[in-house]
Amino acid sequence: MSRTTKYRSSKTRDETPLLFVMGDGESEYKYFDDLNSMVKGIRIRPKELGVTGWQKIIKKCDGHVTYGEVDLKHGDRLAIVTDEDGRYDSESIVLFQKECDRRGYELILSNKSFEVWLLMHYESFTVPYTQTELEKKLTGHLGKDYHKSDGIPFNIRMVRFARDNSEKNLPEGSNLDCFRTNPSTRLHFLIDDILDKG
C-alpha cells in the first residue's frame, strides 16, 4: 500500500518534535496515524517497513536517515515497532538492539504481535494467545470482523488503559525480556513518552 507523507523542511527544525514510527504493517500505520491526530506536543509520522528480518529493517531505516527524511541530529526520533511473531531468536534480538543503539534508533518489540497491544485497549491478560485467537478476541470487542488495515477505534483513555496493562506484563523489560515473555509488548515505554509530550 503506497502512502505519501509530508516531512518538515530543515527550516522548521525548531517546531514540534517529530517521531517516525517504522512499523511492520498496516495495523501499526493505522494506529499511529490515528494517535497522531489525538496528541499535540509531538508529531508522529508512521511508515510501513515492507520488509522483515532485522538486517533489512535496519537497512530500510538507514535509507530514511540517509535521504534526509529523518534528521536525528536535529531532534527527530525513529522508533522501530516490530513483532516477535516467530521471526527472531534471542541472539538476533541482541544484535538488532546493538545496531539500533549504535544508530540512535528506538526498538520496540511486541510478543507475539502488535495485536497484543491492541487487545490491551480492551482487557488485561497474561494468557499467550495465538495470532488467530488475538484477532478473534478483537473481533469480539469490536462487534465486527477485525481487519489490520482498519485498526481499532480508540481514544486517549483507552490508550492509557492499554499502557497500564502493558506495563503490568513488562514493568521494566528490555526487548530481550519481551522476547521471553508472551504476551508482552514494550509499546508502553514509547506511548508513555508520547502522552507525556502530548
Side-chain angles (χ1 to χ4, degrees), residues 25-65:
E26 293 177 317
S27 51
E28 290 90 340
Y29 181 95
K30 173 69 174 154
Y31 184 86
F32 284 100
D33 193 45
D34 289 347
L35 185 60
N36 181 56
S37 67
M38 297 179 192
V39 295
K40 305 298 178 200
I42 189 167
R43 290 185 295 158
I44 305 167
R45 294 291 178 261
K47 297 280 287 180
E48 288 180 43
L49 283 165
V51 294
T52 57
W54 72 266
Q55 293 104 327
K56 289 180 181 177
I57 291 172
I58 289 284
K59 188 175 180 181
K60 185 89 179 254
C61 292
D62 287 348
H64 288 289
V65 173

Side-chain angles (χ1 to χ4, degrees), residues 88-122:
Y88 299 111
D89 57 25
S90 57
E91 183 182 354
S92 63
I93 291 292
V94 169
L95 292 171
F96 196 177
Q97 184 68 65
K98 184 178 178 181
E99 290 304 313
C100 285
D101 291 345
R102 191 163 71 83
R103 290 162 167 81
Y105 304 163
E106 300 166 54
L107 180 59
I108 307 293
L109 186 68
S110 290
N111 186 1
K112 164 179 250 350
S113 69
F114 189 69
E115 279 68 31
V116 166
W117 169 254
L118 296 183
L119 185 56
M120 286 180 173
H121 286 66
Y122 299 100

